[in-house]
Amino acid sequence: MQYTYAKRMQDVRASEIRELLKLTESPEIISFSGGLPSPDLFPVEDLKEVSLSVLENSGRTSLQYTTTEGFEPLRRWVAERMNTRLGTSFSADEILLTHGSQQAIDLTGKVFLDEGDVVLCESPTYLAALSAFRLFGCRFVEMPTDDDGMIPESLEEILRAEPRAKLIYTIPEFQNPTGRSWSLARKESLVRIATEHKVVVLEDNPYGELRFEGESLPSAATFDTIGNVLCLGTFSKIFCPGYRIGWIAGPREVIDKYVLVKQGTDLQCNTVGQYQIMEYLNTRDINQHIERIRADYRVKRDIMLETMDELFPDGVSYTRPQGGLFAWVTLPEHLDARKILVECLEEKVAFVPGGSFFPNGGHQNTMRINFSYATTEELREGIARIARVLRRNLG
Amino acid sequence: MQYTYAKRMQDVRASEIRELLKLTESPEIISFSGGLPSPDLFPVEDLKEVSLSVLENSGRTSLQYTTTEGFEPLRRWVAERMNTRLGTSFSADEILLTHGSQQAIDLTGKVFLDEGDVVLCESPTYLAALSAFRLFGCRFVEMPTDDDGMIPESLEEILRAEPRAKLIYTIPEFQNPTGRSWSLARKESLVRIATEHKVVVLEDNPYGELRFEGESLPSAATFDTIGNVLCLGTFSKIFCPGYRIGWIAGPREVIDKYVLVKQGTDLQCNTVGQYQIMEYLNTRDINQHIERIRADYRVKRDIMLETMDELFPDGVSYTRPQGGLFAWVTLPEHLDARKILVECLEEKVAFVPGGSFFPNGGHQNTMRINFSYATTEELREGIARIARVLRRNLG
């Protein structure tokens, strides 16, 4: 039959890129396209003991329904971790566990966005945040951004010009897709300006713990004086994404709204995962584990950059991320990264063309390279193959 | 600060009842209020072996991201199970795994409902489906329903009168909250009438496998000729709710839309749970397990009904469910079940007042009793306490 979908579905369509990238699932392709952690670092042996111990001690509760808010000891751990690492002052009651931080983005749309509202975001920004927000009928304004973050003067100008501005979405640490980070001064300006304009800031921070060098910076929430900064986090990058456990932190009043909405959305996060993560945190040293991840990704980042430095042709520039999972490559303007991808797939190597990360289009001469998932050998070989294609196109 | 939430949030508020029921978490209260399976039946020992085996054989994949659609072997199992048990003819590609069937309800709202659309539902119906749909700004029309399901004449009349009717939501097996089931003839009329009016039917079936007596009936989807019947299911009631794995089945074209929407909503279901459930299904006999659940709940249902028959005063009627988790009690019209609940809490026993299950209000003289979670001793004692309160109020 002819289905009458909701109007919001008009903007939802399978991307060409996604279809192309399905090809990268084949094992002979070296893929830098996903945002996947290295499975070599999953604590599989530890998790055997952890799983048994949870079933032994909490079989009846870990397999049962739990509260929408989430397992209290885990919320307490998250609050303490944020307070210690990021200088915030959240309590367990100000944390809602979510089905990955992706769900926290979606719930933010549900709680805050009406049709026609404006979301300010970095240019480029995280693709799946765009997909989530877009379903609530918002418009995106891409903020001029340099190596230190959004530019305060532009932010003020746009907030003055956009009365429907409702939300500023930002990833200030090792951003997806660029790998760039904000300075502390820019975080402060952001919150000051957002506060003047009574706009909510959503600080998404999935990669902050994966810093290879330099100093960790406090959260934008440390500058919050009126309760307009909400913070997202996740266990996906410091533990395992397969559990789908993330969180949102914010003022109790706002979190209470999210809880009500999450209840109708999916009742609660999976209980098994919440218990296993908590047992792991209680019996293992997560800092040591994260240090292993950092060390591994640091080596991979170095190999990637060395190979790019050696082989990428003139006219191609790229970021030098101090952490996270991604580097961002800018080609000469006349090159289309989608065409480069097609040629790269023939060479059995894949990346994501950067155009999709710009909500309002353009910038087809950019590409995102993930360096966490591939092995060091694959990184060397894969980057060399991309370099070959680029040289061919710039010859 | 003064938050400017989305307009849809105006209808979202914490229910008084929910606040009252928080009291029932205290261990000295016998609670018939939740929809919780009995934790005595969770296959804890089996799951120790299952967890180890998944980590041993699939540690790297079961802890990693997976596809939005879900683990292919599990989707295949679900399709085959439905086809065998319910007479449908779904393929694996027509199944999307969801974060419990609750998420499938929410995604249905996102895919189909515009503000002002009308959802037809049983009267009463599942509370959290109302919460999910309500966030998309729909109106509810409660369908006149008898012991065999919605009444076809009323259905036709209402579909003729409501051009904005978009969706019929129904739970035809051991309904939540009443425990009643539809006849096959009524399922056929439902689909015939919905087809004439090009309206989508959402058949929610979390309890169908928990039949204590009588014959299992085919799904409404067996009468589908144009692709307008979507079916929900879940592992929560036949396995463990703590995994949060359910599904939606429907025509490939529609499921593809759900996949796109789920991607922006939460990327995918937790991978760990999908692998563990599949390993359990591969190495254990789920039919034997379900038979144990059936046998246990049948005994509990019997004890509940015997105690009600013996002790409930005249003027109080109740359903005699042939399966599922719930019975539905109707008090004389002048009694308010919310007031009865307050008195019952003093006697340390809890249930859910039935008014909340009617989207358009009223019916405060009804109550939902869950019989799966309490032990047989608690059922005898708890029902006796409710009877005492009822006799006091009807004395």
Side-chain angles (χ1 to χ4, degrees):
Chain A
M1 79 173 208
Q2 189 70 36
Y3 300 98
T4 313
Y5 298 113
K7 282 194 217 83
R8 71 181 69 83
M9 296 298 291
Q10 288 165 0
D11 296 329
V12 179
R13 52 183 70 86
S15 79
E16 271 171 72
I17 301 300
R18 195 169 130 83
E19 295 309 305
L20 261 185
L21 291 176
K22 276 191 182 162
L23 300 174
T24 70
E25 281 159 28
S26 121
E28 83 260 30
I29 287 193
I30 298 177
S31 178
F32 306 133
S33 63
L36 274 61
S38 168
D40 297 334
L41 298 164
F42 295 155
V44 176
E45 289 308 312
D46 282 343
L47 284 173
K48 289 182 184 170
E49 271 180 56
V50 161
S51 305
L52 288 186
S53 154
V54 166
L55 286 166
E56 190 64 37
N57 302 318
S58 320
R60 296 163 60 98
T61 44
S62 68
L63 299 166
Q64 184 62 282
Y65 287 110
T66 182
T67 59
T68 304
E69 289 84 346
F71 192 35
E72 203 274 341
L74 190 55
R75 286 188 286 131
R76 196 155 11 99
W77 187 90
V78 165
E80 283 166 13
R81 181 84 177 177
M82 292 186 71
N83 298 345
T84 309
R85 277 199 62 250
L86 302 168
T88 53
S89 51
F90 292 115
S91 67
D93 286 343
E94 294 173 311
I95 309 290
L96 167 67
L97 297 181
T98 55
H99 189 71
S101 49
Q102 183 68 35
Q103 185 188 36
I105 297 174
D106 176 61
L107 294 178
T108 300
K110 256 188 176 171
V111 168
F112 282 106
L113 295 181
D114 285 316
E115 203 181 326
D117 279 348
V118 170
V119 174
L120 278 57
C121 61
E122 284 148 312
S123 174
T125 188
Y126 172 50
L127 183 54
L130 299 175
S131 317
F133 290 140
R134 194 172 274 135
L135 276 166
F136 298 96
C138 66
R139 222 161 21 95
F140 295 101
V141 173
E142 297 175 41
M143 297 301 310
T145 304
D146 64 17
D147 279 347
D148 285 329
M150 288 182 193
I151 294 164
E153 293 71 27
S154 312
L155 192 55
E156 284 197 294
E157 197 177 314
I158 285 167
L159 286 177
R160 269 197 302 268
E162 288 285 2
R164 292 291 302 271
K166 191 62 124 3
L167 194 68
I168 305 173
Y169 173 72
T170 168
I171 313 163
E173 313 287 329
F174 320 123
Q175 200 233 17
N176 182 355
T178 63
R180 296 192 298 200
S181 297
W182 288 47
S183 69
L184 193 61
R186 285 290 176 83
K187 289 190 192 182
E188 185 171 11
S189 322
L190 167 74
V191 177
R192 181 177 46 74
I193 298 166
T195 301
E196 274 165 31
H197 292 266
K198 302 274 187 293
V199 168
V200 171
V201 173
L202 190 63
E203 181 185 56
D204 191 2
N205 189 4
Y207 318 109
E209 298 243 21
L210 306 181
R211 178 177 281 281
F212 313 145
E213 59 234 351
E215 205 191 340
S216 256
L217 295 182
S219 158
T222 56
F223 302 109
D224 185 1
T225 52
I226 61 166
N228 64 333
V229 182
L230 307 174
C231 301
L232 308 187
T234 178
F235 286 102
S236 292
K237 306 305 185 296
I238 57 171
F239 191 57
C240 306
Y243 285 105
R244 311 305 300 123
I245 302 291
W247 64 83
I248 180 163
R252 180 73 190 270
E253 174 190 345
V254 179
I255 294 299
D256 283 351
K257 297 282 182 196
Y258 277 73
V259 170
L260 288 172
V261 165
K262 181 169 166 68
Q263 220 181 344
T265 299
D266 68 355
L267 302 182
Q268 56 154 100
C269 290
N270 79 88
T271 327
V272 180
Q274 297 180 60
Y275 272 72
Q276 287 193 16
I277 293 176
M278 193 66 238
E279 176 70 12
Y280 179 91
L281 295 171
N282 280 338
T283 59
R284 265 67 182 175
D285 184 350
I286 183 98
N287 291 321
Q288 212 171 65
H289 179 64
I290 294 171
E291 193 42 55
R292 269 196 301 271
I293 301 177
R294 276 197 204 110
D296 185 76
Y297 293 0
R298 187 189 294 119
V299 168
K300 289 177 172 174
R301 190 264 330 248
D302 290 343
I303 287 173
M304 172 191 69
L305 288 179
E306 279 162 25
T307 317
M308 286 175 170
D309 290 348
E310 192 189 339
L311 301 176
F312 272 15
D314 284 350
V316 174
S317 62
Y318 35 92
T319 56
R320 306 188 84 86
Q322 294 196 304
L325 310 184
F326 304 109
W328 181 251
V329 178
T330 307
L331 307 175
E333 288 210 11
H334 70 280
L335 285 191
D336 185 331
R338 292 169 298 187
K339 193 174 148 285
I340 301 290
L341 174 62
V342 173
E343 291 181 42
C344 279
L345 286 174
E346 280 161 26
E347 305 269 346
K348 308 286 181 214
V349 61
F351 60 86
V352 184
S356 339
F357 299 96
F358 295 86
N360 304 322
H363 306 271
Q364 294 298 359
N365 61 323
T366 55
M367 32 200 282
R368 189 190 73 176
I369 308 269
N370 167 272
F371 55 82
S372 57
Y373 181 70
T375 63
T376 49
E377 294 70 31
E378 289 170 336
L379 269 163
R380 239 182 234 107
E381 175 58 27
I383 297 292
R385 291 184 195 172
I386 294 175
R388 215 150 53 218
V389 172
L390 291 177
R391 282 199 308 268
R392 205 157 62 210
N393 278 271
L394 287 167
Chain B
M1 80 173 206
Q2 190 69 36
Y3 300 97
T4 312
Y5 297 114
K7 283 196 217 79
R8 71 181 70 82
M9 296 298 290
Q10 289 165 0
D11 295 329
V12 179
R13 53 182 68 87
S15 80
E16 272 171 70
I17 300 299
R18 195 170 130 85
E19 295 309 304
L20 260 184
L21 289 177
K22 277 194 180 160
L23 301 173
T24 69
E25 280 160 28
S26 121
E28 83 260 29
I29 287 192
I30 299 175
S31 178
F32 306 134
S33 63
L36 275 59
S38 168
D40 297 334
L41 298 164
F42 295 155
V44 176
E45 290 307 314
D46 283 343
L47 284 173
K48 290 182 185 170
E49 272 180 53
V50 161
S51 306
L52 288 186
S53 153
V54 166
L55 286 167
E56 190 63 38
N57 303 319
S58 321
R60 295 164 60 98
T61 43
S62 68
L63 299 167
Q64 186 60 283
Y65 287 110
T66 182
T67 60
T68 304
E69 289 83 347
F71 192 35
E72 203 273 343
L74 190 55
R75 287 187 287 131
R76 197 156 9 101
W77 187 90
V78 165
E80 282 165 15
R81 181 83 177 177
M82 290 187 72
N83 298 345
T84 311
R85 277 200 61 249
L86 301 168
T88 53
S89 50
F90 292 115
S91 67
D93 285 342
E94 294 173 312
I95 309 290
L96 167 66
L97 297 181
T98 55
H99 189 71
S101 49
Q102 182 69 35
Q103 185 187 38
I105 296 174
D106 177 60
L107 293 178
T108 300
K110 255 186 177 171
V111 169
F112 282 106
L113 295 181
D114 284 316
E115 202 180 328
D117 278 348
V118 170
V119 174
L120 277 58
C121 60
E122 285 150 311
S123 174
T125 187
Y126 171 50
L127 184 53
L130 299 175
S131 317
F133 290 140
R134 194 172 275 134
L135 275 166
F136 297 96
C138 66
R139 224 162 18 94
F140 295 101
V141 173
E142 297 175 40
M143 296 302 308
T145 305
D146 65 17
D147 279 346
D148 286 329
M150 288 183 192
I151 294 165
E153 293 72 27
S154 313
L155 192 55
E156 285 198 294
E157 197 177 314
I158 285 167
L159 286 177
R160 268 196 303 267
E162 290 283 4
R164 293 291 302 269
K166 192 62 127 357
L167 194 68
I168 306 173
Y169 174 72
T170 167
I171 312 162
E173 312 289 328
F174 320 123
Q175 199 235 15
N176 182 356
T178 63
R180 295 190 301 200
S181 297
W182 287 46
S183 69
L184 193 62
R186 285 288 176 83
K187 291 189 191 180
E188 185 171 12
S189 323
L190 167 75
V191 177
R192 182 178 43 76
I193 297 165
T195 301
E196 274 164 33
H197 292 265
K198 303 274 188 290
V199 169
V200 170
V201 173
L202 189 63
E203 180 184 57
D204 191 2
N205 189 5
Y207 319 110
E209 298 243 21
L210 306 180
R211 177 176 283 281
F212 314 145
E213 61 235 349
E215 206 191 337
S216 258
L217 296 182
S219 157
T222 56
F223 302 109
D224 185 0
T225 52
I226 61 166
N228 63 334
V229 182
L230 307 174
C231 301
L232 309 186
T234 179
F235 285 102
S236 292
K237 306 306 187 293
I238 58 171
F239 190 56
C240 306
Y243 286 103
R244 311 303 302 123
I245 302 291
W247 64 84
I248 181 162
R252 179 74 189 269
E253 173 189 346
V254 179
I255 294 300
D256 283 351
K257 296 281 183 196
Y258 278 73
V259 171
L260 288 173
V261 166
K262 182 170 166 68
Q263 220 182 342
T265 300
D266 66 356
L267 302 182
Q268 55 153 101
C269 291
N270 79 88
T271 326
V272 181
Q274 298 181 58
Y275 272 73
Q276 286 194 16
I277 293 175
M278 194 64 239
E279 176 71 11
Y280 179 92
L281 295 170
N282 280 337
T283 59
R284 266 65 183 176
D285 183 349
I286 184 96
N287 291 320
Q288 211 172 63
H289 178 64
I290 295 171
E291 192 43 53
R292 269 197 300 272
I293 301 176
R294 277 198 202 109
D296 184 77
Y297 293 180
R298 187 190 294 118
V299 168
K300 289 176 172 175
R301 190 268 324 252
D302 289 343
I303 287 173
M304 173 191 68
L305 288 178
E306 279 162 24
T307 317
M308 287 175 169
D309 290 347
E310 193 189 338
L311 301 176
F312 271 15
D314 284 352
V316 175
S317 61
Y318 36 92
T319 56
R320 308 187 82 86
Q322 293 196 304
L325 311 183
F326 303 109
W328 181 250
V329 178
T330 307
L331 308 174
E333 288 211 8
H334 69 280
L335 285 191
D336 185 333
R338 292 169 297 186
K339 194 174 147 284
I340 300 291
L341 174 60
V342 173
E343 291 181 41
C344 278
L345 287 174
E346 281 160 23
E347 306 269 346
K348 310 283 182 217
V349 61
F351 59 87
V352 184
S356 340
F357 299 95
F358 296 87
N360 303 322
H363 306 271
Q364 295 297 1
N365 61 323
T366 55
M367 33 202 279
R368 188 191 76 176
I369 307 271
N370 165 272
F371 56 83
S372 57
Y373 182 68
T375 63
T376 50
E377 295 69 32
E378 288 170 337
L379 269 162
R380 244 185 229 104
E381 175 59 27
I383 298 291
R385 291 182 196 173
I386 295 175
R388 215 149 55 218
V389 171
L390 292 177
R391 282 199 307 270
R392 204 155 65 210
N393 277 271
L394 287 167

